[in-house]
Structure formats: structure tokens, C-alpha cells
Amino acid sequence: MSLVINHNLMAMNASRNLSTSYSALAVSTRRLSSGLRVGTAADDAAGLAVRELMRADIKSLQQGIRNANDGISLIQTADGALQIIDEKLIRMKELATQAATGTYNSDQRLIIDSEYQAMASEITRIANATDFNGIYLLNGNLSGENSAHSGAGLASTGPLKVHFGTANDCSEDYYYISIGTATASALGLGHATGAANGKTISTQALAQASLEALQDAIVSKDKIRANLGALQNRLENTVSNLEIQAENIQAAESQISDVDVATEMTEFTRQQILTQAAVSMLSQANSLPRMALSLIGG
């Protein structure tokens, strides 16, 4: 290579190597400081696309877990109210058994019936008042077949839809909570408008006949509670599955996105040495043209 002064090719080469090493050093610094291997699309375009889809699924699954837990809370609210209704039904059967015996006169049976009717009214009040976040649970609003659900309006109708998946596939992403009506009239009890069994225990015959209606009411209530219990177990299993699924996707996302600190620190050290060496050589290369002065001066 000729000794020239117009073009310092060695300095240009050292400067280019310095720029390359310094850029790589900057990338390693960014990765180590952020903890991310893929910080921009330029780092790994395909990996970035996969990572963002995974992140969307992770967030959706985490919200699905919260949705399922809200569903469990809703079920527990309904079951707690049904437990109180259960106590009222047991008391009503006790009163019917009391009125069915012949040791009470008509006035006493009317007194017994007044408490019976009060219990029926309380059952209806509980059923109509029990709500979760403004959604009434036991008044029949959530009863019916799954096909009766409609979310087209501002307020959904029919069975309650619990959505927990990342898409909208009914077999994977949601199912319904249907809760039967638990008012006294729906259970066939109280508020006499005639002599129907279970409506009143004002006479010995009606009291005796009401015992079977009360038994049926207790069974109907138990079916509602059993269905809710099964749904709660299902939702709890769903939460466990979603947590495992979110954890596994998070692990896969980490493999794509997160930096291996040990490997990247090795690269950082290498680029740091190369950068320092390039700075040193650039300084030396810049001083080489001065040798021409010795020739000119001689």
C-alpha cells in the first residue's frame, strides 16, 4: 500500500470497523438493559410477529381467568341465597306438619298459615332481590335453554354466558350458566289464590296435601343448587386449565423474546473489546500520514 496523504485508507477501514463494533455494542447494551432479545422488528421479524400473537393470547387468557372467577363468585352468590331459601322451605314444611295434626283448631291453623305465607313471601323477596353486579339470579332471568341466550342488545337475555377463551368457539371458549326460578310461586308454594296444594295450610286437609308440594319444592330447589355446584366445579377446573395454558404460552413467549443474559454478556464483552481496539487503531491510522512529512522534510 502506497504512502499517500490525500486518502487515509487505513483510517477509513478502522472507522468502518469501529462503527460496526459500536453498533453491535449498542444492540447488546439495549438487550441487556431491557432484558429483551427482540426489541424491534429488525432483531427478529418473524419472532416479533409470533411473540405479539402470544402476548395477545396471554392477556386474553388472564382476563378469561378473571371472567371464570367472576362466574364462580356469581354462582356462590346464587347458592348462598338458595341456602337461605332452603331454611325457609324447611320451616314451611315444619309448619305444614304442625297444621296437619288434629290437635289445633281453625284459629290456630290460621295463625300457623300466616307464618307459612310470610315464609313464602320472604322466599319470593330473596329470589327477586338476589343479584350480582346488577344481574338478577333467581327470578327467572337466567333460566331456559342455552339457545335462548342473546347478547345482541345492551342487556343480554337468557342464560348467562361465561367467556374465558381466546376466540369464540363454543366448545373451547365459553359456556352458559342457567339458573332456574326460585320464587315461591315457581316452587308451587304460598300466596293462595285457590285451594291448590302448597298454597295454603289453613285447613288440616290442605296442610296434609301441602306436604307433598313442599317436598317437590325442596327437590326443585336442590336441583338448582346441584346444577350450580356442578357449574362451580367446572369453572374451577377451567381456571386451573387456563392458568396452566397461560403459563406455558408465557414460557414459549419468553424463549422467543427474552435475552439470554450470559450469552449476551459474552457478546457485549467481545464487542466492547473490538470497539476499544478499533478506537486505538483509528488513532494510530490517523497518525500514519505524518510519516510523509519526514520524507518531504528530508
Side-chain angles (χ1 to χ4, degrees):
M1 179 176 291
S2 301
L3 181 60
V4 297
I5 59 175
N6 285 329
H7 298 90
N8 190 344
L9 296 179
M10 284 185 287
M12 293 172 62
N13 182 266
S15 177
R16 178 175 56 80
N17 288 328
L18 173 61
S19 177
T20 301
S21 298
Y22 194 75
S23 295
L25 182 63
V27 171
S28 289
T29 301
R30 172 171 57 79
R31 288 175 174 174
L32 288 168
S33 62
S34 67
L36 295 175
R37 183 186 71 85
V38 182
T40 66
D43 291 330
D44 185 351
L48 178 69
V50 174
R51 182 192 72 180
E52 295 308 308
L53 290 172
M54 285 183 171
R55 284 183 172 180
D57 282 347
I58 290 167
K59 290 296 184 181
S60 185
L61 286 170
Q62 289 172 343
Q63 181 59 54
I65 291 170
R66 292 191 289 271
N67 289 351
N69 280 322
D70 287 343
I72 291 173
S73 297
L74 180 143
I75 288 173
Q76 289 174 335
T77 300
D79 187 62
L82 287 169
Q83 185 175 357
I84 302 301
I85 290 175
D86 196 11
E87 296 173 0
K88 307 305 178 187
L89 290 173
I90 292 172
R91 176 56 179 164
M92 289 174 74
K93 189 167 184 182
E94 180 182 4
L95 291 170
T97 303
Q98 183 181 11
T101 188
T103 58
Y104 293 96
N105 59 37
S106 58
D107 291 335
Q108 292 167 332
R109 284 195 181 88
L110 288 173
I111 295 172
I112 296 171
D113 184 61
S114 66
E115 183 181 351
Y116 182 91
Q117 297 300 332
M119 292 293 102
S121 297
E122 182 61 12
I123 288 173
T124 298
R125 188 201 66 79
I126 292 171
N128 288 330
T130 301
D131 74 292
F132 180 87
N133 195 32
I135 300 169
Y136 290 94
L137 308 179
L138 302 176
N139 65 351
N141 285 350
L142 303 183
S143 62
E145 299 296 326
N146 294 346
S147 58
H149 170 83
S150 175
L154 292 177
S156 300
T157 59
L160 186 140
K161 183 178 183 180
V162 179
H163 198 117
F164 47 79
T166 58
N168 195 37
D169 189 326
C170 64
S171 63
E172 300 174 7
D173 300 306
Y174 63 85
Y175 47 77
Y176 297 95
I177 296 177
S178 179
I179 306 177
T181 311
T183 59
S185 58
L187 296 174
L189 304 174
H191 310 299
T193 56
N197 295 343
K199 298 295 185 181
T200 179
I201 56 171
S202 56
T203 69
Q204 184 178 11
L206 288 172
Q208 291 170 338
S210 293
L211 290 172
E212 184 175 352
L214 284 161
Q215 185 69 20
D216 292 340
I218 292 173
V219 171
S220 297
K221 176 270 306 171
D222 286 341
K223 287 181 179 178
I224 297 174
R225 292 192 70 184
N227 181 57
L228 289 176
L231 285 170
Q232 180 174 336
N233 289 334
R234 186 177 180 184
L235 279 170
E236 288 173 350
N237 291 331
T238 296
V239 168
S240 297
N241 180 63
L242 290 173
E243 288 173 341
I244 293 171
Q245 190 175 351
E247 181 181 344
N248 288 333
I249 295 178
Q250 186 74 72
E253 189 266 338
S254 176
Q255 291 291 327
I256 295 173
S257 182
D258 291 341
V259 68
D260 184 332
V261 176
T263 300
E264 195 60 43
M265 195 62 208
T266 301
E267 178 66 14
F268 174 84
T269 302
R270 187 174 78 89
Q271 296 299 337
Q272 189 178 46
I273 292 172
L274 287 173
T275 298
Q276 292 171 349
V279 169
S280 178
M281 290 302 98
L282 180 60
S283 175
Q284 294 297 323
N286 283 331
S287 67
L288 290 177
R290 296 175 185 172
M291 291 189 299
L293 292 177
S294 62
L295 296 175
I296 296 174

